[in-house]
Amino acid sequence: MKYILPAISVIILAIIVGIGAFYLGQKTLNNSQAATILTITEKVNNQVTPKLTPTPNQNRVIQAGGAIIFSKYSLKLPEGWTSEREQGKDIDKLTLTKLGYKLVIYEAAFGGSGCLYPDDAPSEMAQKFVSFVEILNPNGFVFRRGQSDSLPNTYTICQKNTADSSFGSPTNFGAISLTTPGTPDKNAVVFPETDAIIASLNKE
């Protein structure tokens, strides 16, 4: 009896340790399998629904226009901008957007008006702007991006009339407007891009 009891105790202890080791091993294996399955699932999902990245479109050419009396035109769109065109029987509307900035070129049947800037003499039926940036187009057009006092987030692009050097809207390419998010810094990086787009306008 003296030797039997310790032997039984050792056997029971060995069984308990064995059961514990088996359970722990199964749990570790299950966790490992779960992690492996999760990793595989993520890879499969990545293959089925890959993360979409914009296609590089550095200075890609956009063509639009040709409604009513306006000519068809082309422009160069820098990388990061998106374009959407709406066409109808008597309209052609091109909307260019980036980071909340929206540049719209709209052709339709509407009347025109003059554009006045600081130090210009008053004139009836003319839009008054408190400031402007002049944009020289290498194709012979001169534009001004004017900001009104009442709508600080909206800019109107007017074109110079070669006959009398006055400015007016719409331009040869339609009514062009720019809206900005909030009250942007005048030196914001997007402004040079909007002006470059306008400078690239060319009749087809």
Side-chain angles (χ1 to χ4, degrees):
M1 277 301 278
K2 155 166 106 163
Y3 298 105
I4 293 175
L5 286 175
I8 292 173
S9 298
V10 170
I11 292 171
I12 292 173
L13 183 60
I15 292 171
I16 292 172
V17 171
I19 292 173
F22 176 78
Y23 176 77
L24 184 61
Q26 280 293 105
K27 186 175 180 181
T28 303
L29 179 60
N30 288 340
N31 288 342
S32 176
Q33 288 176 340
T36 303
I37 292 170
L38 179 61
T39 303
I40 293 172
T41 303
E42 288 174 347
K43 288 180 180 177
V44 170
N45 286 341
N46 285 342
Q47 291 172 359
V48 174
T49 55
K51 184 178 179 181
L52 299 177
T53 54
T55 303
N57 56 0
Q58 181 67 36
N59 290 332
R60 62 190 175 100
V61 176
I62 301 292
Q63 295 179 321
I68 312 295
I69 61 171
F70 297 98
S71 302
K72 291 183 178 180
Y73 63 86
S74 65
L75 57 81
K76 294 179 180 179
L77 196 63
E79 184 177 3
W81 285 81
T82 61
S83 64
E84 182 178 350
R85 187 180 180 190
E86 177 186 346
Q87 292 177 277
K89 181 182 177 182
D90 296 321
I91 69 165
D92 190 285
K93 183 179 180 181
L94 181 66
T95 303
L96 311 173
T97 56
K98 178 180 179 179
L99 299 176
Y101 288 73
K102 182 185 292 185
L103 183 64
V104 177
I105 304 175
Y106 185 42
E107 297 180 351
F110 38 61
S113 65
C115 300
L116 299 179
Y117 305 95
D119 300 328
D120 284 348
S123 176
E124 293 184 5
M125 301 299 292
Q127 304 176 72
K128 180 72 175 179
F129 300 99
V130 295
S131 64
F132 69 89
V133 173
E134 194 158 281
I135 304 168
L136 302 178
N137 181 295
N139 299 307
F141 306 107
V142 179
F143 301 101
R144 282 183 177 178
R145 170 169 55 81
Q147 183 180 30
S148 68
D149 195 23
S150 58
L151 297 171
N153 299 328
T154 301
Y155 298 78
T156 299
I157 286 74
C158 300
Q159 183 179 337
K160 186 176 183 178
N161 185 337
T162 55
D164 59 8
S165 296
S166 64
F167 283 82
S169 178
T171 69
N172 287 355
F173 306 94
I176 308 177
S177 63
L178 170 67
T179 55
T180 63
T183 307
D185 183 341
K186 294 186 187 304
N187 297 317
V189 68
V190 182
F191 273 121
E193 294 183 1
T194 62
D195 296 347
I197 293 171
I198 295 164
S200 73
L201 283 166
N202 188 29
K203 286 186 176 181
E204 289 293 294

